[in-house]
Amino acid sequence: EVQLVESGGGFVQAGGSLRLSCAASGFSLDDYAIGWFRQAPGKEREAVSCMKTRDDDTFYSESVEGRFTISSDNAKNTVYLQMNSLEPEDTAVYYCAADPLSCYVLRNVPDYWGQGTQVTVSS
């Protein structure tokens, strides 16, 4: 059974940093695309970042490129999202997602979702 468990959300002031973690089970990060979405109140869910190690594939949305970094510890089967220079516009629930195919598929219709973790950035 595939499970994704996020942690690391919280409250931070603008300009600060947070690191989200997503512990995956039921599959190997070597074989899956895994990434992050976010959804702010009243807005559509947005694909933020994705990686698939086997294909050397990485994606960042324009809104976070240069500020956020996705990485993984495959020994721990955990993916991270390091978020720097946070802005109030980054406030959202952040979801981990995974798909066996590719980052392109994950960005549209991932097979698996985590439960989400709240990130709040104050101005």
Side-chain angles (χ1 to χ4, degrees), residues 69-92:
T69 303
I70 191 168
S71 64
S72 66
D73 184 335
N74 286 22
K76 296 181 178 179
N77 227 39
T78 299
V79 66
Y80 305 98
L81 187 68
Q82 178 67 44
M83 306 186 295
N84 298 329
S85 302
L86 283 162
E87 303 166 352
E89 292 74 22
D90 296 316
T91 295

Side-chain angles (χ1 to χ4, degrees), residues 1-5 22-29 32 34 76-79 96 98 112:
E1 179 187 7
V2 171
Q3 287 192 323
L4 303 169
V5 180
C22 174
S25 59
F27 67 95
S28 170
L29 292 185
Y32 272 54
I34 188 161
K76 296 181 178 179
N77 227 39
T78 299
V79 66
C96 183
Y112 304 104

Side-chain angles (χ1 to χ4, degrees), residues 4-21:
L4 303 169
V5 180
E6 301 100 331
S7 61
F11 184 91
V12 64
Q13 291 189 330
S17 298
L18 282 174
R19 189 178 79 158
L20 305 182
S21 300

Side-chain angles (χ1 to χ4, degrees), residues 12 18 27 29 41 45-46 55 64 82 94 108 111 116-117:
V12 64
L18 282 174
F27 67 95
L29 292 185
R45 194 170 291 188
E46 172 193 15
D55 297 340
V64 308
Q82 178 67 44
Y94 283 71
N108 291 279
D111 277 359
T117 185

